[in-house]
Every structure is written in C-alpha cells, then in structure tokens.
Amino acid sequence: QFLYFIGMTVPMAAVVAAAVLGATVVAQLIVRRRVRANQRMRRGRLVASHIVNFAEQIEGPCPRAIVDLDAFDENVRAMVTVAEGSGKRVRVATKSVRCVDLLVRMLDVVPAGRAAGLMTFSAAETLALARDPRIVAALARHWKPGQHSQLLLAYPVADEASADLLVACQRELMPKQLSVAVMVDDSRQVDVLASAAKRAGIPLSVWIDVDMSLRPLPFAHLGVRRSPLRTPSCVRRMLEKIAGDATTALIVCGLMGYEAQVAGLVDFEDSGVASLCESFARSVVKRLSKRDGHARRQECFTFLRQSPVAHRDALCNGGGSGSLNSTVTDPSVSEVTVGSGALCGHLFDRYLPTEAPPFQPALYFALRVTRQPAANIFTCHGGGWCASGQPGASRLPLLVWPQGDLISMEGAGEVQTPFTVRTPPSNFGVGSVALFRPCKSGELGDTIAAYALVSKHRETVVASTYRGDGLEAWNC
C-alpha cells in the first residue's frame, strides 16, 4: 500500500508542480509584457516642449496639423539605418505621408542611390507625382543605369481609364530615364494593361503581387485578403499569361510579398491582462508568418528570376515600417517599404520594439476648445478623424496635451470632441488648444490642407498636403 501511495502521489505532485511552474512563468511574462506595454503607451503621450509651445501660440481657426520635424528626421534615419545594415534599399510608401515636401525630405535623407523610389496607391496619384518637378528631382538623385520602377503602384488597376493614366505616366517619365510599374495578380488586369500599352505603343512594367497571409490549416486564413497568388505554380500561370497575350506590351520587373499580419498587426490593444494574453497569440502568428512568408517569398522570387519573361534585374519588395527588422533578414528581398514610421501615428504605441525601431511621435493635430460643460470636461470643435481598418477604440485620435481621455460615450465627434482632464493646466479653458495624435500616419493628409513643420533648431515652415495641393488621388 505504501508503494502504491508513493506511485500515485509522486506523479500527481510532479504534474501540480509543473502546472504551478508553468503558471508562474506565464504570469511573469504577462507582467513583463504589461510593464513594457505601459511604458510604450505612456511614452506615446509625451509631447516635446517645442510642439506644445507652438500649439499655445496658434491663432485663428483650427484644426491645424503639426509635424515635429526633429522626430520625423530621426524616424527616417532609424529606418534607413536598419535597411542599410542589411544591404537593402528603401521604397517610400506615399499613402503613409501624403505630403510632397515630406516625401522629398525622406528621399533626401536616404544616401544617394539607396532609395528604390516611391510606392503609390492610385493611378491618378502616380501621374500627379510623375509631373511634380520636386519628386522627379528627388528620384533622379537615386538613379542608376538599369534601374527601373521608380514609381510603383502597389494596387492593381482593372479599368481602361486608370490604365491610360499609367501609360501617360510612363510617357512623362521616359525622357527623364525613370519608369512606372504596377502590381498584377489577375489575368483581367493583365488584359486591361496590355490593351492600353498596345494602343499607345508604349510597354508597361508590371510586378507580380504574392499573398503572404498565413494558412496553417486549409480553412484558416490569418492575414489580409490581397492577391490570390500564393505559390510558385501560381506565379508560373501569371507569367504564362503575360508571355502568351502581352509579351510585347508588358515587362515583368519584380515581385512583391507584403506580410501584412506582421507589419500591420499591433502586439497589444491595451495594457489589460486579457489584451496581453491575446498578444501571446499574436506573437505566435507573427513568428509563424515570418517563417512561412520568407520561405514562400524566396521560392516565388527564385522562380520568377529564372523565367525568360522577367526582367534581368527583377526586384523583390517586402515589409513595412511595422516589420522592418524581420523583413531585412530575408535574402530574397532587395528593397523594403517604409513610410508610416516616419510620422508615427499612435498605432505604433501598441508595437513592442522587436519588429521595428522605437519610433518617436511626429504628427499631431490641434483643436480649439470652444466649450467647458464641467470643471474637468472640455469640448473641442471638430476632431472626428477615426482611422480606417478594423473598428475599435484604438482607431480614435489620442489626446496627448493636456493629459486626459476622450469620453467613451461620445468618442471623437463629427463636429465636436469632448474630453476629460483630471488636473487641467492653469489658464486652460475656452479658447485654449488641445493636441491629438491620429491613429494612422497618412490619412490626415487628405483632411487638412497643410502641415506646420516645427523644429527646435529651425524656423517653422508650412508644407501643403495632398489636399492642399489639390491632388485628387482617387479621381482621374
């Protein structure tokens, strides 16, 4: 009986001890992650004194958009350093900036010859940038013999009007030894582009877009819904389509594999225990995605480069600001996309500093307080600029000065935004200015006409955004 008792007790004790040990380790990890999350989110609410001083001196109507130029430059240099350290070139995503002066500034920070060009998001925008002498001059600084695809439209077109805009763009760039390219992932897109190129007698460059989402099981899809092409056999069918029907009209110049579930997936939504437990699942998804995505991207690009249809100097693009550190480790990638990290919307406060450099907040907007319904409640005029994407509290603007919170029942309103402040600053009230950070970096450029570029060391200048320039990125 004694031996039986020992035989039963020891395994049970071992199981209990292992469970306690496992729970302790998980608890320690959660506590450690919570500390890091709180540090990141507190840091995102810190505002440089020269930005607050500028905001307090704003006269006239609001809203006003403010860029901390010192933080902007530091963020760009940080991204360039990561890319340069791995021998990758950088391509600037225009949708995350939407201001020509800032796009040029980013290209100027990159060492000569190390910027691949711009990644655009519509045909109309691409043509407008091709006609802008500031952009052309900045791209020419990085030109090398044999280089191509300086303007890369990252989203396919499926209508004749947009295809004609790309032909006009190529016609605009050819005398300047620059070129435009566009993504394809469907035979119908190829038909539209080939038809426009043949009508104009000007060949167009295309890149093949490969889906990098994770599918651990046949019914499980973890990632965004982009391209239907996932494997080398899919790439082969697309190359055969181009070789058969459009070989004289289209030139295959590259491949893109964007791992959105790594670059665009935050590590945590807030510092609560439930969110941090969920963040472990997100970290597993990211880890598996990097392993799977890098392998498939390498296979697809190797296959493309061996095809006689592809350009001899075909390129491979991957990543974004949120996956920079891991994307540069993929040997098949020749260039990485950067953009949103430069202005650093507050979405980056929810990333742990493992996938990307620790970006500094650089973009703010100022609203005028026009009401004070209670001693610690203030109401601003305007401010309802919620970010695109999956709905949630994290998509709302973040109040950073004075330190306070939006009212959950109202959020950021269409024409007014109330917030609470536990201890209001002295002399803060009706007529004062509050500072917010947008969730995403680029969308403010379609809403506000100009950015005030503020620096501790230089005089403040004003730069027009896409809206201020009248650049209708979505219209022909």
Side-chain angles (χ1 to χ4, degrees), residues 298-357:
Q298 291 172 29
E299 291 173 359
C300 290
F301 185 58
T302 300
F303 184 87
L304 182 141
R305 291 193 67 179
Q306 294 171 350
S307 170
V309 181
H311 192 285
R312 67 177 183 277
D313 295 319
L315 303 173
C316 181
N317 176 281
S321 298
S323 67
L324 192 59
N325 291 346
S326 61
T327 303
V328 296
T329 64
D330 185 343
S332 67
V333 170
S334 50
E335 59 177 55
V336 290
T337 304
V338 300
S340 55
L343 289 170
C344 186
H346 75 73
L347 200 64
F348 278 103
D349 299 348
R350 292 168 169 79
Y351 283 79
L352 295 173
T354 53
E355 293 295 336

Coordinates of all heavy atoms in Angstrom, one line a residue, residues 298-357:
Q298 N 10.8 33.6 -51.0 CA 12.0 33.2 -51.7 C 11.8 32.3 -52.8 O 12.4 32.4 -53.9 CB 13.0 32.6 -50.6 CG 13.5 33.5 -49.6 CD 14.3 32.8 -48.5 OE1 14.8 31.8 -48.7 NE2 14.3 33.4 -47.3
E299 N 10.9 31.3 -52.6 CA 10.6 30.3 -53.7 C 10.0 31.0 -54.9 O 10.4 30.8 -56.0 CB 9.6 29.3 -53.1 CG 10.2 28.4 -52.1 CD 9.2 27.5 -51.5 OE1 8.0 27.6 -51.9 OE2 9.5 26.6 -50.6
C300 N 9.0 31.9 -54.6 CA 8.3 32.6 -55.8 C 9.3 33.5 -56.5 O 9.3 33.6 -57.8 CB 7.1 33.4 -55.2 SG 5.8 32.4 -54.6
F301 N 10.1 34.2 -55.8 CA 11.0 35.1 -56.5 C 12.1 34.4 -57.2 O 12.5 34.8 -58.3 CB 11.7 36.1 -55.5 CG 12.5 37.2 -56.1 CD1 12.0 38.0 -57.1 CD2 13.9 37.3 -55.8 CE1 12.8 39.0 -57.7 CE2 14.7 38.3 -56.4 CZ 14.1 39.1 -57.3
T302 N 12.6 33.3 -56.7 CA 13.6 32.5 -57.4 C 13.0 32.0 -58.7 O 13.6 32.0 -59.8 CB 14.0 31.3 -56.5 OG1 14.6 31.8 -55.3 CG2 15.0 30.4 -57.3
F303 N 11.8 31.5 -58.6 CA 11.1 31.0 -59.9 C 10.9 32.2 -60.9 O 11.2 32.0 -62.1 CB 9.7 30.5 -59.5 CG 9.0 29.9 -60.7 CD1 9.2 28.5 -61.0 CD2 8.1 30.6 -61.4 CE1 8.5 28.0 -62.1 CE2 7.5 30.1 -62.5 CZ 7.7 28.8 -62.9
L304 N 10.5 33.4 -60.4 CA 10.3 34.5 -61.3 C 11.7 34.9 -62.0 O 11.7 35.1 -63.2 CB 9.8 35.7 -60.5 CG 9.4 36.9 -61.4 CD1 8.1 37.6 -60.9 CD2 10.6 38.0 -61.3
R305 N 12.7 34.9 -61.2 CA 14.0 35.4 -61.8 C 14.5 34.4 -62.9 O 15.2 34.8 -63.8 CB 15.0 35.5 -60.7 CG 14.8 36.7 -59.7 CD 16.0 36.9 -58.9 NE 17.1 37.5 -59.7 CZ 18.3 37.8 -59.1 NH1 18.5 37.7 -57.8 NH2 19.2 38.3 -59.9
Q306 N 14.1 33.1 -62.8 CA 14.6 32.1 -63.7 C 13.7 32.1 -65.0 O 14.1 31.5 -66.0 CB 14.6 30.8 -63.1 CG 15.6 30.6 -62.0 CD 15.4 29.3 -61.2 OE1 14.4 28.6 -61.4 NE2 16.4 29.0 -60.3
S307 N 12.6 32.9 -65.0 CA 11.7 32.9 -66.1 C 12.3 33.8 -67.2 O 12.7 34.9 -66.9 CB 10.3 33.4 -65.7 OG 9.5 33.6 -66.8
P308 N 12.2 33.4 -68.5 CA 12.6 34.3 -69.5 C 11.8 35.5 -69.7 O 12.1 36.5 -70.4 CB 12.6 33.4 -70.8 CG 11.6 32.3 -70.4 CD 11.8 32.1 -69.0
V309 N 10.6 35.5 -69.1 CA 9.7 36.6 -69.3 C 10.1 37.8 -68.4 O 9.8 38.9 -68.6 CB 8.2 36.2 -68.9 CG1 7.2 37.3 -69.0 CG2 7.8 35.0 -69.8
A310 N 10.8 37.5 -67.3 CA 11.1 38.5 -66.3 C 12.3 39.4 -66.7 O 13.2 38.9 -67.4 CB 11.4 37.9 -64.9
H311 N 12.3 40.6 -66.2 CA 13.5 41.5 -66.4 C 14.7 40.9 -65.8 O 14.6 40.3 -64.7 CB 13.1 42.8 -65.8 CG 14.0 44.0 -66.2 ND1 15.3 44.1 -65.6 CD2 13.9 45.0 -67.0 CE1 15.9 45.2 -66.1 NE2 15.0 45.8 -67.0
R312 N 15.9 41.1 -66.4 CA 17.1 40.5 -65.9 C 17.5 41.1 -64.5 O 18.2 40.5 -63.8 CB 18.2 40.7 -66.9 CG 18.7 42.2 -67.1 CD 19.8 42.3 -68.0 NE 20.3 43.7 -68.2 CZ 19.8 44.5 -69.0 NH1 18.8 44.2 -69.8 NH2 20.2 45.8 -69.1
D313 N 17.0 42.3 -64.2 CA 17.3 42.9 -62.9 C 16.0 43.0 -62.1 O 15.7 44.1 -61.5 CB 17.9 44.3 -63.1 CG 19.2 44.3 -63.8 OD1 20.0 43.4 -63.4 OD2 19.5 45.1 -64.7
A314 N 15.2 42.0 -62.1 CA 13.9 42.0 -61.4 C 14.2 42.2 -59.9 O 15.2 41.7 -59.4 CB 13.2 40.6 -61.6
L315 N 13.3 42.9 -59.3 CA 13.4 43.3 -57.9 C 12.4 42.5 -57.0 O 11.3 42.0 -57.5 CB 13.2 44.8 -57.7 CG 14.1 45.7 -58.5 CD1 13.7 47.1 -58.4 CD2 15.6 45.5 -58.0
C316 N 12.6 42.4 -55.7 CA 11.7 41.8 -54.8 C 11.4 42.8 -53.6 O 12.4 43.2 -53.0 CB 12.2 40.5 -54.3 SG 11.1 39.7 -53.1
N317 N 10.2 43.1 -53.4 CA 9.8 44.1 -52.3 C 9.1 43.4 -51.2 O 8.3 42.5 -51.5 CB 8.9 45.2 -52.9 CG 8.4 46.2 -51.9 OD1 7.5 45.9 -51.1 ND2 9.1 47.3 -51.8
G318 N 9.3 43.8 -50.0 CA 8.6 43.2 -48.9 C 8.5 44.2 -47.7 O 9.2 45.2 -47.6
G319 N 7.6 43.8 -46.8 CA 7.6 44.5 -45.5 C 7.0 45.9 -45.5 O 6.5 46.4 -46.5
G320 N 7.1 46.5 -44.3 CA 6.6 47.8 -44.0 C 7.3 48.3 -42.7 O 8.1 47.6 -42.1
S321 N 6.9 49.5 -42.3 CA 7.6 50.0 -41.1 C 7.4 49.1 -39.9 O 8.3 49.0 -39.0 CB 7.0 51.4 -40.8 OG 7.2 52.3 -41.8
G322 N 6.3 48.4 -39.8 CA 6.0 47.6 -38.7 C 6.6 46.2 -38.7 O 6.5 45.5 -37.7
S323 N 7.3 45.9 -39.8 CA 8.0 44.6 -39.8 C 9.4 44.7 -40.3 O 10.1 43.8 -40.8 CB 7.3 43.6 -40.8 OG 7.4 44.1 -42.1
L324 N 10.0 45.9 -40.2 CA 11.2 46.3 -40.8 C 12.4 45.3 -40.4 O 13.2 44.8 -41.2 CB 11.6 47.7 -40.5 CG 12.7 48.3 -41.3 CD1 12.4 48.3 -42.8 CD2 13.0 49.8 -40.9
N325 N 12.5 45.1 -39.1 CA 13.6 44.4 -38.5 C 13.6 42.9 -39.0 O 14.7 42.3 -39.2 CB 13.5 44.3 -37.0 CG 13.8 45.7 -36.4 OD1 14.3 46.6 -37.1 ND2 13.5 45.9 -35.1
S326 N 12.5 42.3 -39.3 CA 12.4 40.9 -39.7 C 12.5 40.8 -41.3 O 13.2 39.9 -41.8 CB 11.2 40.2 -39.2 OG 10.0 40.8 -39.7
T327 N 11.9 41.8 -42.0 CA 11.9 41.7 -43.4 C 13.3 41.8 -44.0 O 13.6 41.1 -45.0 CB 11.0 42.8 -44.0 OG1 9.7 42.7 -43.5 CG2 10.9 42.7 -45.5
V328 N 14.2 42.6 -43.4 CA 15.5 42.8 -43.9 C 16.3 41.5 -43.8 O 17.4 41.4 -44.4 CB 16.2 44.0 -43.2 CG1 15.5 45.3 -43.5 CG2 16.4 43.8 -41.7
T329 N 15.9 40.6 -43.0 CA 16.6 39.3 -42.9 C 16.3 38.3 -44.0 O 17.0 37.3 -44.1 CB 16.3 38.6 -41.5 OG1 15.0 38.3 -41.5 CG2 16.7 39.6 -40.3
D330 N 15.3 38.6 -44.8 CA 15.0 37.7 -45.9 C 16.0 38.0 -47.1 O 16.0 39.1 -47.7 CB 13.6 38.0 -46.4 CG 13.1 37.0 -47.5 OD1 14.0 36.4 -48.1 OD2 11.9 37.0 -47.7
P331 N 16.8 37.0 -47.5 CA 17.8 37.3 -48.5 C 17.2 37.6 -49.9 O 17.9 38.2 -50.7 CB 18.7 36.0 -48.5 CG 17.8 35.0 -47.9 CD 16.9 35.7 -46.9
S332 N 16.0 37.2 -50.1 CA 15.4 37.4 -51.4 C 14.9 38.8 -51.6 O 14.7 39.3 -52.7 CB 14.2 36.4 -51.6 OG 13.1 36.8 -50.8
V333 N 14.7 39.5 -50.5 CA 14.2 40.9 -50.6 C 15.3 41.9 -51.0 O 16.4 41.9 -50.4 CB 13.6 41.3 -49.2 CG1 13.3 42.8 -49.2 CG2 12.3 40.5 -49.0
S334 N 15.1 42.6 -52.0 CA 16.1 43.6 -52.5 C 15.7 45.0 -52.0 O 16.6 45.9 -51.9 CB 16.2 43.6 -54.0 OG 14.9 43.7 -54.6
E335 N 14.5 45.3 -51.6 CA 14.0 46.6 -51.1 C 12.9 46.4 -50.1 O 12.1 45.5 -50.2 CB 13.6 47.5 -52.3 CG 12.4 46.9 -53.0 CD 11.9 47.8 -54.1 OE1 12.7 48.2 -55.0 OE2 10.7 48.1 -54.1
V336 N 12.9 47.3 -49.1 CA 11.8 47.3 -48.1 C 11.0 48.6 -48.2 O 11.6 49.6 -48.5 CB 12.4 47.1 -46.7 CG1 13.0 45.7 -46.5 CG2 13.5 48.1 -46.4
T337 N 9.8 48.5 -47.9 CA 8.9 49.6 -47.9 C 8.8 50.3 -46.5 O 8.7 49.6 -45.5 CB 7.5 49.2 -48.3 OG1 7.5 48.5 -49.6 CG2 6.6 50.4 -48.5
V338 N 9.0 51.6 -46.5 CA 8.9 52.4 -45.3 C 8.0 53.5 -45.5 O 7.8 54.0 -46.6 CB 10.3 52.9 -44.8 CG1 11.2 51.7 -44.6 CG2 10.9 53.8 -45.8
G339 N 7.4 54.1 -44.4 CA 6.5 55.2 -44.6 C 5.9 55.6 -43.3 O 6.1 56.7 -42.8
S340 N 5.0 54.8 -42.8 CA 4.2 55.2 -41.6 C 5.0 55.4 -40.4 O 4.6 56.2 -39.5 CB 3.1 54.1 -41.3 OG 3.7 52.8 -41.2
G341 N 6.2 54.8 -40.3 CA 7.0 55.0 -39.1 C 7.6 56.4 -39.1 O 8.0 56.9 -38.0
A342 N 7.6 57.1 -40.2 CA 8.2 58.5 -40.2 C 7.4 59.4 -39.4 O 7.9 60.2 -38.6 CB 8.4 59.0 -41.7
L343 N 6.0 59.4 -39.6 CA 5.1 60.3 -38.9 C 4.6 59.6 -37.6 O 4.2 60.3 -36.7 CB 4.0 60.7 -39.8 CG 4.3 61.7 -40.9 CD1 3.1 61.8 -41.9 CD2 4.7 63.0 -40.4
C344 N 4.7 58.3 -37.5 CA 4.4 57.6 -36.3 C 3.1 57.9 -35.7 O 3.0 58.5 -34.7 CB 5.5 57.8 -35.3 SG 5.4 56.8 -33.8
G345 N 2.0 57.5 -36.4 CA 0.7 57.5 -35.8 C 0.7 56.7 -34.5 O 1.5 55.9 -34.3
H346 N -0.3 57.0 -33.6 CA -0.2 56.3 -32.3 C -0.5 54.8 -32.3 O -0.3 54.1 -31.3 CB -1.2 57.0 -31.3 CG -2.6 56.7 -31.4 ND1 -3.2 55.5 -31.1 CD2 -3.7 57.5 -31.9 CE1 -4.5 55.6 -31.3 NE2 -4.8 56.7 -31.8
L347 N -0.8 54.3 -33.5 CA -0.9 52.8 -33.6 C 0.4 52.2 -33.2 O 0.5 51.0 -32.7 CB -1.3 52.4 -35.0 CG -1.9 51.0 -35.2 CD1 -3.2 50.9 -34.5 CD2 -2.1 50.8 -36.7
F348 N 1.5 52.9 -33.5 CA 2.9 52.3 -33.2 C 3.1 52.2 -31.7 O 4.1 51.5 -31.3 CB 4.0 53.1 -33.9 CG 4.2 52.8 -35.3 CD1 3.7 53.6 -36.3 CD2 4.8 51.6 -35.7 CE1 3.9 53.2 -37.7 CE2 5.0 51.3 -37.0 CZ 4.5 52.1 -38.0
D349 N 2.3 52.9 -30.9 CA 2.5 52.8 -29.4 C 2.1 51.3 -29.0 O 2.4 50.9 -27.9 CB 1.6 53.7 -28.7 CG 1.9 55.2 -29.0 OD1 3.0 55.4 -29.6 OD2 1.1 56.1 -28.6
R350 N 1.4 50.6 -29.8 CA 1.0 49.2 -29.5 C 1.8 48.2 -30.1 O 1.5 47.0 -30.2 CB -0.5 49.1 -29.9 CG -1.5 49.9 -29.1 CD -2.8 50.0 -29.7 NE -3.8 50.6 -28.8 CZ -3.9 51.9 -28.6 NH1 -3.1 52.8 -29.3 NH2 -4.8 52.4 -27.8
Y351 N 3.0 48.6 -30.6 CA 4.0 47.6 -31.0 C 5.1 47.5 -30.0 O 5.6 48.5 -29.4 CB 4.6 48.1 -32.4 CG 3.8 47.9 -33.6 CD1 2.8 48.8 -33.9 CD2 4.0 46.8 -34.5 CE1 2.0 48.6 -35.0 CE2 3.3 46.7 -35.6 CZ 2.3 47.6 -35.9 OH 1.5 47.4 -37.0
L352 N 5.6 46.3 -29.8 CA 6.8 46.1 -29.0 C 8.0 46.3 -29.9 O 7.9 45.9 -31.1 CB 6.8 44.7 -28.3 CG 5.7 44.4 -27.3 CD1 5.7 43.0 -26.9 CD2 5.8 45.3 -26.1
P353 N 9.1 46.8 -29.4 CA 10.2 47.2 -30.2 C 11.1 46.0 -30.7 O 12.3 45.9 -30.5 CB 11.0 48.1 -29.3 CG 10.7 47.7 -27.9 CD 9.3 47.2 -28.0
T354 N 10.4 45.0 -31.2 CA 11.1 43.8 -31.8 C 11.1 43.8 -33.3 O 12.0 43.3 -33.9 CB 10.5 42.5 -31.2 OG1 9.1 42.5 -31.5 CG2 10.7 42.4 -29.7
E355 N 10.0 44.3 -33.9 CA 9.8 44.2 -35.3 C 10.3 45.5 -36.0 O 10.5 45.5 -37.2 CB 8.4 43.9 -35.7 CG 7.9 42.6 -35.3 CD 8.6 41.5 -36.0 OE1 9.1 41.7 -37.1 OE2 8.7 40.3 -35.5
A356 N 10.3 46.6 -35.3 CA 10.6 47.9 -35.9 C 11.4 48.8 -34.9 O 11.4 48.5 -33.7 CB 9.3 48.6 -36.3
P357 N 12.1 49.8 -35.4 CA 12.8 50.7 -34.5 C 11.8 51.4 -33.6 O 10.6 51.5 -33.9 CB 13.4 51.7 -35.4 CG 13.5 51.0 -36.8 CD 12.3 50.1 -36.8

